[in-house]
Amino acid sequence: MPVKIKLVLSLVVIIVAAVAFYVQHTLGHERVQYLVVFLGVFMVFAMWLFPEVKREETAGGIRRETTQNRAS
């Protein structure tokens, strides 16, 4: 995923987590508000930490045959 998209997505997740934290605080849910912040930070951290899955020509360990390989 391009860095620009990751930055925008990270910003959106942090903003949503902050708004949810505020809403939970106004409702008086003390434990839930900290859970919301933790999950928001964890999602951003995991997106930057773990690499994106890249697929190769093989699927499930079986090499796909091309039309040239079948003809011979």
Side-chain angles (χ1 to χ4, degrees):
M1 185 179 320
V3 175
K4 289 181 183 180
I5 294 175
K6 278 187 181 181
L7 285 173
V8 171
L9 190 58
S10 298
L11 184 63
V12 168
V13 169
I14 293 298
I15 290 171
V16 169
V19 169
F21 174 83
Y22 177 74
V23 169
Q24 293 300 323
H25 177 71
T26 57
L27 293 175
H29 300 157
E30 293 189 21
R31 290 185 189 164
V32 177
Q33 69 183 1
Y34 294 114
L35 179 65
V36 166
V37 169
F38 170 75
L39 288 176
V41 171
F42 179 75
M43 285 190 287
V44 171
F45 176 73
M47 180 176 58
W48 286 94
L49 178 67
F50 298 116
E52 185 177 356
V53 176
K54 296 188 178 168
R55 297 183 182 236
E56 298 177 6
E57 272 195 42
T58 60
I62 301 171
R63 188 161 191 92
R64 295 181 184 170
E65 292 185 29
T66 61
T67 55
Q68 292 174 347
N69 290 344
R70 287 187 219 161
S72 48

